[in-house]
Coordinates of all heavy atoms in Angstrom, one line a residue:
M17 N 39.0 47.7 20.5 CA 38.3 46.6 19.9 C 36.9 47.1 19.3 O 36.1 47.7 20.0 CB 38.1 45.5 20.9 CG 37.5 44.2 20.3 SD 37.5 42.8 21.4 CE 35.8 42.8 21.8
K18 N 36.7 46.8 18.1 CA 35.5 47.2 17.4 C 34.4 46.3 17.8 O 34.5 45.1 17.7 CB 35.7 47.3 15.9 CG 34.5 47.9 15.2 CD 34.7 48.0 13.7 CE 33.5 48.5 13.1 NZ 33.5 48.3 11.7
R19 N 33.2 46.8 18.1 CA 32.1 46.0 18.5 C 31.2 45.8 17.3 O 31.0 46.7 16.5 CB 31.3 46.7 19.6 CG 32.0 46.7 20.9 CD 31.2 47.3 22.0 NE 31.9 47.1 23.3 CZ 31.6 47.7 24.4 NH1 30.5 48.4 24.5 NH2 32.3 47.5 25.5
E20 N 30.6 44.6 17.2 CA 29.7 44.2 16.2 C 28.3 44.4 16.7 O 27.9 43.8 17.7 CB 29.9 42.8 15.7 CG 31.3 42.5 15.1 CD 31.4 43.2 13.7 OE1 30.4 43.2 13.0 OE2 32.5 43.6 13.5
F21 N 27.5 45.3 16.0 CA 26.1 45.6 16.4 C 25.2 44.8 15.5 O 25.4 44.7 14.3 CB 25.8 47.1 16.4 CG 26.5 47.9 17.5 CD1 27.8 48.3 17.3 CD2 25.8 48.1 18.6 CE1 28.4 49.1 18.3 CE2 26.4 48.8 19.7 CZ 27.7 49.3 19.5
S22 N 24.1 44.3 16.1 CA 23.0 43.6 15.4 C 21.7 44.1 15.9 O 21.6 44.7 17.0 CB 23.1 42.1 15.6 OG 24.3 41.6 15.0
T23 N 20.6 43.8 15.2 CA 19.3 44.1 15.6 C 18.6 42.9 16.2 O 18.7 41.8 15.6 CB 18.5 44.6 14.4 OG1 19.2 45.8 13.9 CG2 17.1 45.1 14.8
Y24 N 18.0 43.1 17.4 CA 17.4 42.0 18.1 C 16.0 42.3 18.5 O 15.7 43.5 18.8 CB 18.2 41.6 19.4 CG 19.6 41.2 19.2 CD1 20.6 42.2 19.3 CD2 19.9 39.9 18.9 CE1 21.9 41.8 19.1 CE2 21.2 39.5 18.7 CZ 22.2 40.5 18.8 OH 23.5 40.1 18.6
E25 N 15.1 41.4 18.5 CA 13.7 41.5 19.0 C 13.7 41.1 20.5 O 14.2 40.0 20.8 CB 12.8 40.7 18.2 CG 11.4 40.7 18.7 CD 10.5 39.8 17.8 OE1 10.7 39.7 16.6 OE2 9.6 39.2 18.4
V26 N 13.2 41.9 21.4 CA 13.2 41.5 22.8 C 11.9 40.7 23.0 O 10.8 41.2 22.8 CB 13.1 42.8 23.7 CG1 13.1 42.4 25.2 CG2 14.4 43.6 23.5
T27 N 12.0 39.5 23.5 CA 10.9 38.6 23.7 C 10.5 38.5 25.2 O 9.4 38.0 25.5 CB 11.1 37.2 23.2 OG1 12.2 36.6 23.9 CG2 11.4 37.2 21.7
G28 N 11.3 39.0 26.1 CA 11.0 39.0 27.5 C 12.3 39.3 28.3 O 13.3 39.6 27.8
Y29 N 12.1 39.2 29.6 CA 13.2 39.5 30.5 C 13.0 38.7 31.8 O 11.9 38.3 32.1 CB 13.4 41.0 30.8 CG 12.1 41.7 31.4 CD1 11.9 41.7 32.7 CD2 11.2 42.3 30.5 CE1 10.7 42.2 33.2 CE2 10.1 42.9 31.0 CZ 9.8 42.9 32.4 OH 8.7 43.4 32.9
D30 N 14.1 38.6 32.6 CA 14.0 37.9 33.9 C 14.8 38.8 34.9 O 16.0 38.9 34.7 CB 14.6 36.5 33.8 CG 14.7 35.8 35.1 OD1 14.0 36.2 36.1 OD2 15.3 34.7 35.2
D31 N 14.1 39.4 35.8 CA 14.8 40.3 36.7 C 14.6 39.8 38.2 O 14.8 40.6 39.1 CB 14.3 41.7 36.6 CG 12.8 41.9 36.9 OD1 12.1 40.9 37.0 OD2 12.4 43.0 37.0
Q32 N 14.4 38.5 38.4 CA 14.1 38.0 39.7 C 15.4 37.6 40.5 O 15.4 37.7 41.7 CB 13.2 36.8 39.6 CG 11.8 37.1 39.0 CD 11.1 38.2 39.7 OE1 11.0 38.2 40.9 NE2 10.6 39.2 38.9
G33 N 16.4 37.1 39.8 CA 17.6 36.7 40.5 C 18.6 37.7 40.6 O 18.4 38.9 40.3
K34 N 19.8 37.3 41.1 CA 20.9 38.2 41.2 C 21.4 38.7 39.9 O 21.8 39.9 39.7 CB 22.0 37.5 42.0 CG 23.2 38.4 42.4 CD 24.2 37.7 43.2 CE 25.3 38.6 43.6 NZ 26.3 37.9 44.4
I35 N 21.5 37.8 38.9 CA 21.9 38.1 37.5 C 20.6 38.4 36.7 O 19.7 37.5 36.7 CB 22.7 37.0 36.9 CG1 24.0 36.8 37.8 CG2 23.1 37.3 35.5 CD1 24.8 35.6 37.3
K36 N 20.5 39.5 36.0 CA 19.4 39.9 35.2 C 19.6 39.4 33.8 O 20.7 39.5 33.3 CB 19.1 41.4 35.3 CG 19.2 42.0 36.6 CD 18.2 41.5 37.6 CE 18.2 42.3 38.9 NZ 18.0 41.5 40.0
F37 N 18.5 39.0 33.1 CA 18.6 38.5 31.8 C 17.5 39.2 30.9 O 16.4 39.5 31.4 CB 18.4 37.0 31.6 CG 19.5 36.2 32.2 CD1 19.5 35.7 33.5 CD2 20.6 35.9 31.4 CE1 20.5 35.0 34.0 CE2 21.7 35.2 31.9 CZ 21.6 34.7 33.2
V38 N 17.8 39.4 29.7 CA 16.9 39.8 28.7 C 16.9 38.8 27.6 O 18.0 38.2 27.3 CB 17.2 41.3 28.1 CG1 18.5 41.3 27.4 CG2 16.1 41.8 27.3
H39 N 15.7 38.4 27.0 CA 15.6 37.4 26.0 C 15.6 38.0 24.6 O 14.6 38.8 24.4 CB 14.4 36.5 26.3 CG 14.4 35.9 27.6 ND1 15.1 34.8 28.0 CD2 13.8 36.3 28.8 CE1 15.0 34.5 29.2 NE2 14.2 35.4 29.8
L40 N 16.6 37.8 23.8 CA 16.7 38.4 22.5 C 16.5 37.4 21.4 O 17.1 36.3 21.4 CB 18.1 39.1 22.4 CG 18.4 40.1 23.4 CD1 19.8 40.7 23.2 CD2 17.4 41.2 23.5
R41 N 15.7 37.7 20.4 CA 15.5 36.9 19.3 C 16.3 37.4 18.1 O 16.3 38.5 17.8 CB 14.0 36.9 18.8 CG 13.8 36.0 17.6 CD 12.4 36.1 17.1 NE 11.4 35.8 18.1 CZ 10.9 34.6 18.5 NH1 11.4 33.5 18.0 NH2 10.0 34.5 19.5
E42 N 17.1 36.4 17.6 CA 17.9 36.7 16.4 C 17.6 35.6 15.4 O 18.1 34.5 15.6 CB 19.4 36.8 16.7 CG 20.2 37.1 15.5 CD 21.7 37.2 15.8 OE1 22.2 36.4 16.7 OE2 22.4 38.0 15.2
G43 N 16.8 35.9 14.4 CA 16.4 34.9 13.4 C 15.5 33.9 14.2 O 14.5 34.3 14.7
E44 N 15.8 32.6 14.1 CA 15.0 31.6 14.8 C 15.4 31.3 16.2 O 14.7 30.6 17.0 CB 15.2 30.2 14.0 CG 14.7 30.3 12.6 CD 14.9 29.0 11.9 OE1 15.2 27.9 12.6 OE2 14.9 29.0 10.7
F45 N 16.5 31.9 16.7 CA 17.0 31.6 18.0 C 16.7 32.7 19.0 O 16.7 33.9 18.7 CB 18.6 31.5 17.9 CG 19.0 30.5 17.0 CD1 19.5 30.8 15.7 CD2 19.0 29.1 17.3 CE1 19.9 29.9 14.8 CE2 19.4 28.2 16.4 CZ 19.9 28.5 15.2
V46 N 16.4 32.3 20.2 CA 16.1 33.2 21.4 C 17.3 33.0 22.3 O 17.5 31.9 22.8 CB 14.8 32.9 22.1 CG1 14.6 33.8 23.3 CG2 13.6 33.1 21.1
L47 N 18.0 34.1 22.6 CA 19.2 34.1 23.4 C 18.9 34.7 24.8 O 18.5 35.9 24.8 CB 20.3 34.8 22.7 CG 20.6 34.5 21.3 CD1 21.6 35.5 20.7 CD2 21.2 33.1 21.2
P48 N 19.2 34.0 25.9 CA 19.1 34.7 27.2 C 20.5 35.4 27.4 O 21.5 34.8 27.4 CB 19.0 33.5 28.2 CG 19.6 32.4 27.5 CD 19.4 32.6 26.0
V49 N 20.4 36.7 27.5 CA 21.7 37.5 27.5 C 21.7 38.3 28.8 O 20.7 39.0 29.2 CB 21.7 38.5 26.3 CG1 22.9 39.4 26.4 CG2 21.7 37.7 25.0
E50 N 22.8 38.3 29.6 CA 22.9 39.0 30.8 C 22.9 40.5 30.5 O 23.5 41.0 29.5 CB 24.2 38.6 31.5 CG 24.5 39.3 32.8 CD 25.8 38.9 33.5 OE1 26.4 38.0 33.1 OE2 26.2 39.7 34.4
I51 N 22.2 41.3 31.4 CA 22.1 42.7 31.1 C 22.3 43.4 32.5 O 21.9 42.9 33.5 CB 20.7 43.0 30.6 CG1 20.6 44.5 30.2 CG2 19.6 42.6 31.5 CD1 19.3 44.8 29.4
K52 N 22.9 44.6 32.4 CA 23.2 45.4 33.6 C 22.8 46.8 33.4 O 22.6 47.3 32.2 CB 24.6 45.3 34.0 CG 25.1 44.0 34.4 CD 26.5 44.0 34.9 CE 26.9 42.6 35.4 NZ 28.2 42.5 35.9
G53 N 22.6 47.6 34.4 CA 22.4 49.0 34.3 C 21.0 49.4 34.0 O 20.1 48.7 34.2
D54 N 20.9 50.6 33.4 CA 19.7 51.2 33.0 C 19.0 50.6 31.8 O 17.8 50.8 31.6 CB 19.8 52.7 32.8 CG 20.2 53.5 34.1 OD1 19.9 53.0 35.2 OD2 20.8 54.5 33.9
D55 N 19.7 49.8 31.0 CA 19.2 49.2 29.8 C 18.0 48.3 30.2 O 16.9 48.4 29.4 CB 20.2 48.4 29.1 CG 21.3 49.3 28.5 OD1 20.9 50.4 28.0 OD2 22.4 48.9 28.5
L56 N 18.0 47.5 31.2 CA 16.9 46.7 31.6 C 15.7 47.5 32.0 O 14.6 47.2 31.6 CB 17.3 45.7 32.7 CG 16.2 44.8 33.2 CD1 15.7 43.9 32.0 CD2 16.6 43.9 34.3
L57 N 15.9 48.6 32.8 CA 14.8 49.4 33.2 C 14.1 50.1 32.0 O 12.9 50.2 31.9 CB 15.4 50.5 34.1 CG 15.9 50.0 35.5 CD1 16.5 51.2 36.3 CD2 14.8 49.4 36.3
K58 N 14.9 50.5 31.0 CA 14.4 51.1 29.8 C 13.5 50.1 29.0 O 12.4 50.4 28.6 CB 15.5 51.7 28.9 CG 16.1 52.9 29.4 CD 17.3 53.3 28.5 CE 18.0 54.4 29.1 NZ 19.2 54.8 28.3
I59 N 14.0 48.9 28.9 CA 13.3 47.8 28.1 C 12.0 47.5 28.9 O 11.0 47.4 28.2 CB 14.2 46.6 27.9 CG1 15.3 47.0 26.9 CG2 13.4 45.4 27.5 CD1 16.4 45.9 26.8
K60 N 12.1 47.3 30.2 CA 10.9 47.0 31.0 C 9.8 48.1 30.8 O 8.7 47.8 30.6 CB 11.2 46.8 32.5 CG 11.9 45.5 32.8 CD 12.4 45.5 34.2 CE 11.3 45.7 35.2 NZ 11.7 45.4 36.6
K61 N 10.2 49.3 30.9 CA 9.3 50.5 30.8 C 8.6 50.5 29.4 O 7.4 50.6 29.3 CB 10.0 51.8 31.0 CG 10.1 52.2 32.4 CD 9.2 53.4 32.6 CE 9.4 54.2 33.8 NZ 8.8 53.7 35.0
M62 N 9.4 50.3 28.4 CA 8.9 50.2 27.0 C 7.9 49.1 26.8 O 6.8 49.3 26.2 CB 10.0 50.0 26.0 CG 10.9 51.2 25.8 SD 12.3 50.7 24.7 CE 12.6 52.2 23.8
M63 N 8.2 47.9 27.4 CA 7.3 46.8 27.3 C 6.0 47.0 28.1 O 4.9 46.7 27.6 CB 8.0 45.5 27.7 CG 9.1 45.1 26.7 SD 9.9 43.6 27.3 CE 8.8 42.4 26.6
E64 N 6.1 47.6 29.2 CA 4.9 47.9 30.1 C 4.0 49.0 29.6 O 2.8 48.9 29.6 CB 5.4 48.2 31.5 CG 6.0 47.0 32.2 CD 6.6 47.4 33.5 OE1 6.6 48.6 33.9 OE2 7.2 46.5 34.2
L65 N 4.6 50.0 29.0 CA 3.9 51.2 28.6 C 3.3 51.0 27.2 O 2.4 51.8 26.7 CB 4.8 52.4 28.6 CG 5.2 52.9 30.0 CD1 6.2 54.1 29.8 CD2 4.0 53.3 30.8
N66 N 3.8 50.0 26.4 CA 3.3 49.8 25.1 C 2.9 48.3 24.8 O 3.5 47.6 24.1 CB 4.5 50.1 24.1 CG 4.9 51.5 24.2 OD1 4.2 52.5 23.9 ND2 6.1 51.7 24.7
P67 N 1.8 47.9 25.4 CA 1.3 46.6 25.2 C 0.9 46.4 23.8 O 0.4 47.3 23.1 CB 0.1 46.4 26.2 CG -0.3 47.8 26.4 CD 0.9 48.7 26.3
G68 N 1.2 45.2 23.2 CA 0.9 44.9 21.8 C 2.0 45.4 20.9 O 1.8 45.4 19.7
V69 N 3.1 45.9 21.4 CA 4.2 46.4 20.6 C 5.5 45.6 20.9 O 5.7 45.2 22.1 CB 4.4 47.9 20.9 CG1 5.6 48.4 20.2 CG2 3.2 48.7 20.5
T70 N 6.3 45.3 19.9 CA 7.5 44.6 20.1 C 8.7 45.6 20.3 O 8.8 46.6 19.5 CB 7.8 43.7 18.9 OG1 6.7 42.8 18.7 CG2 9.1 42.9 19.1
V71 N 9.5 45.4 21.2 CA 10.7 46.3 21.5 C 11.8 45.7 20.6 O 12.2 44.5 20.7 CB 11.1 46.4 22.9 CG1 12.3 47.2 23.1 CG2 9.9 46.9 23.8
I72 N 12.5 46.6 19.8 CA 13.6 46.2 19.0 C 14.8 47.0 19.5 O 14.7 48.2 19.8 CB 13.4 46.5 17.5 CG1 12.1 46.0 17.0 CG2 14.6 46.1 16.7 CD1 12.0 44.5 17.0
I73 N 16.0 46.3 19.7 CA 17.2 47.0 20.1 C 18.3 46.7 19.1 O 18.3 45.7 18.5 CB 17.7 46.6 21.5 CG1 18.1 45.1 21.6 CG2 16.6 47.0 22.6 CD1 18.7 44.8 23.0
H74 N 19.1 47.7 18.9 CA 20.3 47.6 18.1 C 21.5 47.6 19.1 O 21.7 48.5 19.8 CB 20.5 48.8 17.2 CG 21.6 48.6 16.2 ND1 22.7 49.4 16.2 CD2 21.7 47.8 15.1 CE1 23.5 49.0 15.2 NE2 22.9 48.1 14.5
A75 N 22.1 46.4 19.3 CA 23.1 46.2 20.4 C 24.3 45.4 20.0 O 24.2 44.6 19.1 CB 22.3 45.6 21.6
A76 N 25.3 45.5 20.8 CA 26.5 44.6 20.7 C 26.4 43.6 21.9 O 26.2 43.9 23.0 CB 27.8 45.5 20.9
V77 N 26.5 42.3 21.5 CA 26.4 41.2 22.5 C 27.7 40.4 22.4 O 28.2 40.1 21.3 CB 25.2 40.3 22.1 CG1 25.2 39.1 23.0 CG2 23.9 41.1 22.3
D78 N 28.3 40.1 23.6 CA 29.4 39.2 23.7 C 28.8 37.8 23.6 O 28.2 37.3 24.5 CB 30.1 39.4 25.0 CG 31.3 38.5 25.2 OD1 31.5 37.5 24.4 OD2 32.1 38.8 26.1
Q79 N 29.0 37.1 22.4 CA 28.4 35.8 22.2 C 29.0 34.7 23.0 O 28.4 33.7 23.4 CB 28.6 35.4 20.7 CG 27.8 36.3 19.7 CD 26.4 36.1 19.7 OE1 25.9 35.0 20.1 NE2 25.6 37.0 19.1
K80 N 30.3 34.8 23.4 CA 30.9 33.8 24.3 C 30.4 33.8 25.7 O 30.1 32.8 26.3 CB 32.4 34.0 24.3 CG 33.1 33.7 23.0 CD 34.6 33.9 23.1 CE 35.3 33.6 21.8 NZ 36.7 33.9 21.8
R81 N 30.3 35.0 26.3 CA 29.8 35.2 27.7 C 28.3 35.4 27.8 O 27.8 35.5 28.9 CB 30.6 36.3 28.3 CG 32.1 36.0 28.5 CD 32.8 37.0 29.3 NE 34.1 36.7 29.5 CZ 35.1 37.1 28.7 NH1 34.9 37.9 27.7 NH2 36.4 36.8 29.0
M82 N 27.6 35.6 26.6 CA 26.2 35.9 26.6 C 25.9 37.1 27.5 O 25.1 37.0 28.4 CB 25.4 34.7 27.0 CG 25.6 33.5 26.1 SD 25.2 33.9 24.4 CE 23.5 34.1 24.4
R83 N 26.6 38.2 27.2 CA 26.4 39.4 27.9 C 26.2 40.6 27.0 O 26.9 40.7 26.0 CB 27.7 39.6 28.7 CG 27.7 40.7 29.7 CD 28.9 40.8 30.6 NE 29.1 39.6 31.3 CZ 30.2 39.2 31.8 NH1 31.3 39.8 31.6 NH2 30.3 38.1 32.5
L84 N 25.3 41.4 27.3 CA 25.0 42.6 26.6 C 26.1 43.6 26.8 O 26.3 44.0 28.0 CB 23.6 43.2 27.0 CG 23.1 44.3 26.1 CD1 22.7 43.8 24.8 CD2 21.9 45.0 26.8
L85 N 26.8 44.1 25.8 CA 27.9 45.0 26.0 C 27.4 46.5 25.9 O 27.8 47.3 26.7 CB 29.0 44.8 24.9 CG 29.6 43.4 24.9 CD1 30.6 43.2 23.8 CD2 30.4 43.2 26.3
E86 N 26.6 46.8 24.9 CA 26.2 48.1 24.7 C 24.9 48.2 23.8 O 24.8 47.4 22.9 CB 27.3 48.9 23.9 CG 27.0 50.3 23.6 CD 28.2 51.0 22.8 OE1 29.2 50.4 22.7 OE2 27.9 52.1 22.4
V87 N 24.0 49.1 24.1 CA 22.8 49.3 23.3 C 23.0 50.6 22.6 O 23.2 51.6 23.2 CB 21.5 49.3 24.2 CG1 20.3 49.6 23.4 CG2 21.3 48.0 24.9
D88 N 22.9 50.5 21.3 CA 23.0 51.7 20.4 C 21.7 52.4 20.2 O 21.7 53.6 19.9 CB 23.7 51.2 19.1 CG 24.1 52.4 18.2 OD1 24.6 53.4 18.7 OD2 23.8 52.3 17.0
G89 N 20.6 51.7 20.2 CA 19.3 52.3 20.0 C 18.1 51.4 20.2 O 18.3 50.2 20.3
Y90 N 17.0 52.0 20.4 CA 15.7 51.3 20.7 C 14.7 51.7 19.7 O 14.7 52.8 19.2 CB 15.2 51.7 22.1 CG 16.1 51.4 23.2 CD1 17.0 52.4 23.7 CD2 16.0 50.2 23.9 CE1 17.8 52.1 24.8 CE2 16.8 50.0 25.0 CZ 17.7 50.9 25.4 OH 18.5 50.7 26.5
S91 N 13.8 50.8 19.3 CA 12.7 51.2 18.5 C 11.5 50.3 18.9 O 11.6 49.2 19.6 CB 13.0 51.1 17.0 OG 13.3 49.7 16.7
L92 N 10.3 50.6 18.4 CA 9.1 49.9 18.7 C 8.5 49.4 17.3 O 8.5 50.2 16.4 CB 8.1 50.7 19.5 CG 8.6 51.2 20.8 CD1 7.5 52.2 21.4 CD2 8.8 50.1 21.8
R93 N 7.9 48.2 17.3 CA 7.2 47.7 16.1 C 5.9 47.1 16.6 O 5.9 46.3 17.5 CB 8.1 46.7 15.4 CG 7.5 46.2 14.1 CD 8.4 45.2 13.4 NE 8.5 44.0 14.2 CZ 9.6 43.2 14.2 NH1 10.6 43.5 13.5 NH2 9.6 42.2 15.0
K94 N 4.8 47.4 15.8 CA 3.5 46.8 16.2 C 3.6 45.3 15.8 O 4.2 44.9 14.8 CB 2.4 47.4 15.3 CG 1.9 48.7 15.9 CD 0.6 49.0 15.2 CE 0.0 50.2 16.0 NZ -1.4 50.5 15.4
K95 N 3.1 44.5 16.8 CA 3.0 43.1 16.6 C 2.0 42.7 15.5 O 1.0 43.4 15.3 CB 2.6 42.3 17.8 CG 3.7 42.4 18.9 CD 3.3 41.6 20.1 CE 4.4 41.8 21.2 NZ 4.0 41.1 22.4
D96 N 2.4 41.7 14.7 CA 1.5 41.3 13.6 C 0.3 40.6 14.2 O 0.4 39.7 15.1 CB 2.2 40.3 12.6 CG 3.3 41.0 11.9 OD1 3.2 42.3 11.7 OD2 4.3 40.4 11.6
M97 N -0.9 40.9 13.8 CA -2.1 40.3 14.4 C -2.3 38.9 13.7 O -2.1 38.6 12.7 CB -3.3 41.2 14.1 CG -3.1 42.5 14.8 SD -3.3 42.2 16.6 CE -2.9 43.8 17.2

């Protein structure tokens, strides 16, 4: 099955419960998406080490189950002042 990749802006994360979430912005919508593995650790590190910068990911998301399937790449963008 071919995965559809899109670019998302990471607006935050929730790692307190049993299920971990990352908050992804696509256009006007912010989606809470379940995340597993090292991807959350990478995103957290990028956000902590680069204050004032937005983390952008290119990823495949299962829209029905709201689950992150695969991250193809990461980038950083300076926030607009």
